[in-house]
Amino acid sequence: MLLFRGNEWHKGLSPEEMQKVSGQWMAWFERLKNDGKCVAGNPLEPEGKTVSGKNGRVIADGPFAESKEAIGGYFLLKVDSLDEAVAIAQQCPGLPHGAKIEVRPVAGEC
C-alpha cells in the first residue's frame, strides 16, 4: 500500500502547474490500474472522526495529525515485493513538489 503523507505538495504552484501535476498524477494512477498493479486508490477528505476509549465511547473530531504528516490518500497495489512497490512510489509525480509516500505491506491476516 502506498500512503501519501502530507497534503501541501501543491503549495507555491500556480493553478496551471497544479492542474498539470494533478493530470500527471491521474495518468500515473490510470497506467498502474491498466497494468494490473493498482487495485484501488483515493484521496482522503480532511475531516473525519477519531474513535477511542473503552468500547469506542470517545468520539472526537479529527484526525489531528500535522498537515505534513496527515494521510492525504492511498493506492492499494498488487505487486510481488516491497521493492516493486518502492519502485512504483519513486515514479510519483508529486515527489518533486514535496509529496512523501509511505510504502507498507498489507498483512495477510490479523
Side-chain angles (χ1 to χ4, degrees):
M1 175 174 277
L2 305 184
L3 298 168
F4 300 100
R5 290 209 174 266
N7 50 13
E8 297 183 352
W9 63 267
H10 61 296
K11 297 287 184 191
L13 296 179
S14 70
E16 295 80 17
E17 291 169 321
M18 268 181 38
Q19 187 67 33
K20 180 181 175 185
V21 175
S22 293
Q24 291 169 340
W25 205 304
M26 286 306 301
W28 178 52
F29 176 70
E30 289 300 322
R31 187 171 57 253
L32 290 170
K33 276 185 15 184
N34 293 337
D35 290 347
K37 299 289 182 184
C38 191
V39 177
N42 282 301
L44 300 177
E45 295 290 347
E47 70 269 1
K49 300 284 184 185
T50 301
V51 178
S52 63
K54 189 173 185 176
N55 300 320
R57 292 191 178 156
V58 179
I59 301 170
D61 290 334
F64 295 111
E66 292 182 41
S67 62
K68 67 179 181 173
E69 294 298 322
I71 298 173
Y74 71 95
F75 284 2
L76 181 60
L77 303 179
K78 183 177 181 180
V79 295
D80 294 324
S81 68
L82 189 60
D83 289 338
E84 185 178 1
V86 168
I88 289 171
Q90 289 174 316
Q91 300 168 13
C92 176
L95 289 172
H97 306 285
K100 291 184 181 178
I101 305 169
E102 182 176 341
V103 182
R104 301 276 303 270
V106 176
E109 59 185 72
C110 262

